[in-house]
Amino acid sequence: MERKILLNPGPATTTDTVKMAQVVPDICPREEAFGAVMREVAADLLRVVHASSERFSCVLFCGSGTLNMDVCLNSLLPAGKKALIVNNGAYSSRAVAICRAYGLSHIDLRSSVEDVPDLKTVERTLAADPDIALVYTTHHETGTGVLNPIREIGALAHAHGAAFVVDTTSTYAMLPFSLEECNIDFCMASAQKGIQAMTGLSFIIGRTALIEASKDYPVRSYYCNLYQQYAYFKKTGQMQFTPPVQTIYAAKQALKEYFDEGEAAKAARHARTAAAIHRGLAALGLKEAIRPEIQSGLVVSVLYPDDARWNFDRVHDDCYAHGFTIYPGKMQEKGTFRLCALGAIDETDIEAFFRVFGKALAALGMETPKG
């Protein structure tokens, strides 16, 4: 099968074995045998973030990563309480938009997309408003590559009696972390990123006691309700609505490959892939938009060259024709594109990419330090 190198922030490059895991006999998803597959996948997803099955539950949904955001925000806010959105990027801004769509009482604590949130401001905001019951942020803003201090934000949330919900879509199974050590009550991800599977399966991992407490919260969505999906699966071993059957088989295979590779080895592979991106950019004289010490090591935002001949679309198309996909940035004030270390790729793929990328720049007549 032709291999494409996806340097966009997801979906990510997959292995052929994950792709082929979808080629299975047709099965009704209400069969007990398929319920066993879903229970196995859910148990393995808990293991990735070192979550005890005695205290945490994994709830599967059919949808993209944004569905998880919707589910957590509309399901986990008690009546008469507020959500605090610690917002320094496009994906936390999406959480604000979800709150507005549901009419949820919330505080949009907005800060620069080029920096981490100010913890003192977070603490002052929590201290000033005892109605805040839920604190939400994004672990890694893939629009920029900024990695947020979730352990510290979670500690502040808990000190003020609030639950802490984190969008870990682009760190789950890539940057090792433990839910309890990071003070996380709920995290979320989707199969097409960290576990290197296929789009269509998303999941939320959360404290079982808090999921069960949410039974008494307002039901704001018929489809996107966390407690109802949790309770239905607990009772029947099935999703409440039709699951993405073949995608779940791919996720099962991807999780096997995750554990075969090992948490530390996989994180090291992503790190050396990111290091190769940094080296390649430096060699071409291209500048990064985010200072190194707050970068995730998974996404690099690259400033557009200060050259009138630069044309992102033409460079994208040249790279795409040679099997490499690059992606625009999400920094509205600055022209950027992104190179990502996600997926089943390694530093040799990045070295091959820069050979293609350099030729694409040369085709525009652009000069680089290497000529």
Side-chain angles (χ1 to χ4, degrees):
M1 189 177 299
E2 184 181 3
R3 184 166 180 261
K4 300 287 190 179
I5 306 302
L6 304 183
L7 301 179
N8 53 286
T13 302
T14 58
T15 63
D16 285 354
T17 44
V18 166
K19 295 180 184 72
M20 295 307 297
Q22 298 174 103
V23 184
V24 291
D26 294 329
I27 187 172
C28 172
R30 303 305 179 189
E31 293 291 342
E32 185 177 337
F34 188 70
V37 173
M38 289 194 288
R39 283 191 293 272
E40 179 184 346
V41 167
D44 281 346
L45 291 169
L46 286 174
R47 289 173 58 202
V48 171
V49 287
H50 308 281
S52 164
S53 59
E54 295 177 357
R55 294 186 295 278
F56 290 88
S57 294
C58 178
V59 185
L60 306 179
F61 284 90
C62 180
S64 69
T66 302
L67 180 135
N68 291 329
M69 300 167 65
D70 187 313
V71 169
C72 284
L73 288 163
N74 88 71
S75 301
L76 295 172
L77 189 65
K81 296 296 184 178
K82 292 180 183 176
L84 172 62
I85 313 298
V86 182
N87 176 7
N88 66 327
Y91 294 94
S92 291
S93 292
R94 187 174 296 179
V96 172
I98 290 168
C99 288
R100 289 174 179 160
Y102 281 106
L104 301 177
S105 182
H106 67 283
I107 298 170
D108 178 8
L109 191 62
R110 186 181 294 268
S111 58
S112 171
V113 301
E114 298 180 44
D115 210 340
V116 295
D118 180 67
L119 296 174
K120 291 182 179 178
T121 303
V122 174
E123 184 171 23
R124 282 196 300 269
T125 305
L126 284 163
D129 196 334
D131 286 337
I132 296 171
L134 184 155
V135 176
Y136 179 104
T137 198
T138 305
H139 190 187
H140 169 218
E141 279 286 354
T142 55
T144 57
V146 171
L147 188 70
N148 283 332
I150 55 169
R151 187 193 305 262
E152 293 80 1
I153 296 172
L156 293 173
H158 290 166
H160 291 274
F164 187 41
V165 180
V166 185
D167 178 354
T168 56
T169 302
S170 58
T171 52
Y172 182 96
M174 289 178 278
L175 299 182
F177 65 90
S178 158
L179 288 193
E180 295 201 276
E181 289 179 5
C182 288
N183 301 308
I184 298 172
D185 296 309
F186 293 87
C187 78
M188 64 190 82
S190 47
Q192 77 273 16
K193 291 203 178 184
I195 66 170
Q196 300 170 187
M198 298 297 177
T199 57
L201 174 67
S202 62
F203 47 92
I204 294 164
I205 298 172
R207 291 191 185 275
T208 304
L210 294 180
I211 296 174
E212 293 182 344
S214 72
K215 176 183 179 180
D216 299 322
Y217 298 172
V219 176
R220 301 177 175 100
S221 173
Y222 179 74
Y223 187 89
C224 299
N225 183 271
L226 183 60
Y227 175 77
Q228 290 181 6
Q229 185 85 327
Y230 157 82
Y232 194 89
F233 191 84
K234 184 177 180 182
K235 180 180 179 180
T236 68
Q238 301 172 0
M239 281 196 195
Q240 192 174 10
F241 308 104
T242 305
V245 177
Q246 286 75 18
T247 301
I248 289 173
Y249 281 111
K252 177 183 175 182
Q253 175 64 24
L255 284 162
K256 177 185 182 302
E257 293 178 14
Y258 171 85
F259 290 114
D260 285 348
E261 182 175 10
E263 177 185 76
K266 186 171 186 292
R269 174 168 58 79
H270 292 307
R272 66 177 174 262
T273 303
I277 292 173
H278 294 305
R279 288 196 304 271
L281 293 171
L284 290 172
L286 295 175
K287 299 187 182 302
E288 299 177 16
I290 303 298
R291 66 182 194 274
E293 61 269 24
I294 62 169
Q295 288 190 34
S296 63
L298 295 170
V299 172
V300 181
S301 285
V302 188
L303 292 166
Y304 281 174
D306 185 16
D307 190 316
R309 292 165 292 186
W310 166 256
N311 185 314
F312 174 81
D313 290 336
R314 282 186 57 187
V315 172
H316 167 275
D317 293 348
D318 276 1
C319 292
Y320 185 79
H322 289 85
F324 297 92
T325 297
I326 62 176
Y327 207 62
K330 281 185 175 286
M331 299 176 68
Q332 294 180 354
E333 304 299 321
K334 295 179 179 179
T336 60
F337 66 97
R338 288 173 283 175
L339 300 176
C340 305
L342 285 64
I345 62 175
D346 211 326
E347 61 183 332
T348 53
D349 296 308
I350 302 303
E351 291 163 358
F353 161 72
F354 274 108
R355 289 192 289 271
V356 170
F357 186 75
K359 291 178 181 177
L361 296 183
L364 294 176
M366 293 178 59
E367 296 182 2
T368 67
K370 284 194 170 182

